[in-house]
Amino acid sequence: MPDNYLALTPESLPERLCKIKEIAGEVGADPNSWDVAEVGDGNLNLVFIVTGDLGKVIVKQALPYVRLVGDSWPLTLERAFFEYNALIRQEERDPGVVPKVLYFDSAQGLIAMEYLENHKILRNKLIDGEKVDGLSEVLGLHCARIAFKGSDLYMETKTKKSDVSLFEKNIELMAITENLVFTDPYFTAEMNSNTEGLEKIINILRNDIKMKTCVQNMLRKFASNTETMCHGDLHSGSIMCTNNQTRVIDPEFAFYGPMGFDLGMLLANFLMAYFSQEGHRKNSEQSDYQSWICTIMKETVEHFQAEFSTLWNSARNGILFPKTLFEDQGHSSLSALESFLNSIWSDAVGFCGIEMHRRCLSLAHNADFELIEDTKLRAKLEARNLLMGRDLILETQNIDTVEKLITMAQDYNSKDVL
Ligand code: SR1
Ligand code: MG
């Protein structure tokens, strides 16, 4: 950690940051008029809303440890460097979706960025039963643009390789995913916890050698397939919305990995929102809202595939599947595109099942389930989620469309598996 690193507090922030013109230019020059609130509710960082005469900014600062656990788990400040680098690439690859970066200070692990007025974390909207117009379009297009434009289908290979080697150094954050997502759920790891009553289901998962093998094959892809720059942690807590605007935040877990990773994580978090609805609202409202979530999943995948196909046809300028070998020879690349999309989809299905497991079994559970106080009901809903996750991992090849994934969720939602 740099010698001069000092964690900010609401009291110290105005004096420490008022000389930074990129921040003062947004908030106003007089630090005495700044109002600062620490609002971080994530697992890792400090997040401040700074309000002044002119406007607001967000200041995010990495702590030298995992906030959720405390200083017994040290964590490098470099995650702010990777978040900063991911944000500027995401802005280039899909303008207007991620917050604008105003200022970055590597030694302080600090990023000042655009304040998103009236936006609320998507997870909280899903828990509160609020709909968002245009959600699936923004997310589907964003995932497609980020997947395509960070890959050898689009980038100059020299730039791509140097970017891969830059993000390969995001080692500690990748290690969190390697452990908490791919490994801990499948044995009695120290930081695990689970809702009482799930023991029977957990035994099924932990004794399923075939499924554990599939999970390790997905980890193999996570660890060694560097085909594009992924957000790395695209759950509903990394998305902020108004009733008709959607923004993606928080890419500190960014890494070069499989194209289906972000899409799979995202679908898993929609599925967990779907399964948890019985814990949050009455029967009549529940089915309408669950149908809306299903539509969002279906449209997100459709937008993803349509946008990826558009980019394939209009912007395929990298070393992969070059036009020289296809269109220039009078040969269609349609079946190559189809098989590419199929392989992204099957990876997404596998990653989706694994994320559904980790959020109920290892560290960092989802509020969607955690806020359900009735533990019997919570266990009933989590059991559906866990067993569907297992089917997704084992049956990846058979679940070849989003419609099949949704039908499977609807089936699980109507039966008691505990
Ligand atoms: C110790 S960090 C736990 C989780 O929080 C982040 O949002 C990631 O999902 C990570 O796995
Ligand atoms: Mg986060």
Side-chain angles (χ1 to χ4, degrees), residues 42-44 66-69 73 75 123 173 176-177 180-181 191 232-235 238 250 252-253 265 355 358-359 362-365:
N43 297 324
L44 300 179
V66 174
R67 181 177 186 164
L68 174 70
V69 175
W73 186 347
L75 194 65
R123 189 183 309 290
L173 283 266
I176 290 179
T177 305
L180 297 189
V181 178
M191 290 182 295
D233 196 24
L234 193 56
H235 53 74
S238 297
D250 222 7
E252 64 203 315
F253 283 78
M265 292 271 145
E355 169 77 354
R358 67 73 62 117
R359 292 292 180 189
S362 76
L363 184 75
H365 289 201

Side-chain angles (χ1 to χ4, degrees), residues 6-17 31-40 46-51 59 61 67:
L6 196 59
L8 289 159
T9 63
E11 295 71 36
S12 68
L13 186 147
E15 201 189 316
R16 284 185 58 194
L17 303 188
N32 296 318
S33 73
W34 290 14
D35 181 57
V36 184
E38 205 278 312
V39 294
L46 295 169
V47 180
F48 301 92
I49 299 177
V50 185
T51 309
V59 172
Q61 189 181 30
R67 181 177 186 164

Side-chain angles (χ1 to χ4, degrees), residues 13-273:
L13 186 147
E15 201 189 316
R16 284 185 58 194
L17 303 188
C18 68
K19 296 272 162 0
I20 297 164
K21 63 178 189 326
E22 293 86 348
I23 298 178
E26 292 290 317
V27 180
D30 176 12
N32 296 318
S33 73
W34 290 14
D35 181 57
V36 184
E38 205 278 312
V39 294
D41 65 351
N43 297 324
L44 300 179
N45 308 295
L46 295 169
V47 180
F48 301 92
I49 299 177
V50 185
T51 309
D53 299 335
L54 286 183
K56 298 184 182 200
V57 296
I58 291 291
V59 172
K60 179 170 178 180
Q61 189 181 30
L63 288 162
Y65 53 84
V66 174
R67 181 177 186 164
L68 174 70
V69 175
D71 54 12
S72 60
W73 186 347
L75 194 65
T76 166
L77 300 176
E78 277 181 6
R79 61 189 185 272
F81 168 84
F82 293 108
E83 175 160 354
Y84 164 72
N85 274 284
L87 283 169
I88 55 180
R89 283 159 180 74
Q90 290 168 331
E91 173 61 21
E92 217 177 273
R93 293 168 194 175
D94 189 19
V97 173
V98 301
K100 301 235 171 329
V101 174
L102 304 168
Y103 174 76
F104 169 59
D105 179 339
S106 152
Q108 296 301 324
L110 182 155
I111 307 172
M113 60 190 116
E114 177 189 3
Y115 173 72
L116 302 176
E117 191 79 51
N118 294 327
H119 284 66
K120 172 171 165 181
I121 291 288
L122 175 62
R123 189 183 309 290
N124 299 333
K125 285 179 104 55
L126 294 167
I127 291 168
D128 293 342
E130 296 168 15
K131 298 180 182 172
V132 180
D133 288 345
L135 177 65
S136 58
E137 183 172 1
V138 175
L139 294 177
L141 297 185
H142 183 71
C143 287
R145 289 170 184 167
I146 294 304
F148 189 93
K149 294 186 183 176
S151 79
D152 283 308
L153 290 167
Y154 179 81
M155 287 176 87
E156 203 187 328
T157 185
K158 212 166 95 188
T159 319
K160 158 88 178 358
K161 287 182 172 71
S162 107
D163 235 30
V164 169
S165 75
L166 180 93
F167 281 89
E168 278 293 295
K169 298 187 184 72
N170 199 4
I171 297 165
E172 288 191 28
L173 283 266
M174 283 189 272
I176 290 179
T177 305
E178 287 151 11
N179 293 318
L180 297 189
V181 178
F182 291 96
T183 313
D184 289 4
Y186 305 107
F187 79 111
T188 50
E190 206 185 320
M191 290 182 295
N192 285 354
S193 66
N194 62 264
T195 302
E196 199 186 315
L198 285 174
E199 294 70 21
K200 190 180 87 185
I201 307 283
I202 295 172
N203 270 335
I204 296 174
L205 302 184
R206 293 199 178 141
N207 289 306
D208 189 336
I209 299 172
K210 192 168 167 212
M211 190 200 69
K212 287 195 292 183
T213 306
C214 294
V215 172
Q216 289 308 297
N217 277 322
M218 296 310 290
L219 172 55
R220 196 169 131 204
K221 292 191 184 189
F222 175 89
S224 51
N225 174 351
T226 56
E227 66 186 350
T228 198
M229 190 191 79
C230 303
H231 177 285
D233 196 24
L234 193 56
H235 53 74
S236 50
S238 297
I239 296 165
M240 293 190 79
C241 306
T242 65
N243 61 1
N244 60 9
Q245 279 178 16
T246 297
R247 308 289 289 269
V248 173
I249 61 167
D250 222 7
E252 64 203 315
F253 283 78
F255 72 112
Y256 270 78
M259 288 191 184
F261 186 76
D262 287 341
L263 189 61
M265 292 271 145
L266 184 60
L267 289 173
N269 281 270
F270 278 127
L271 285 166
M272 288 183 273

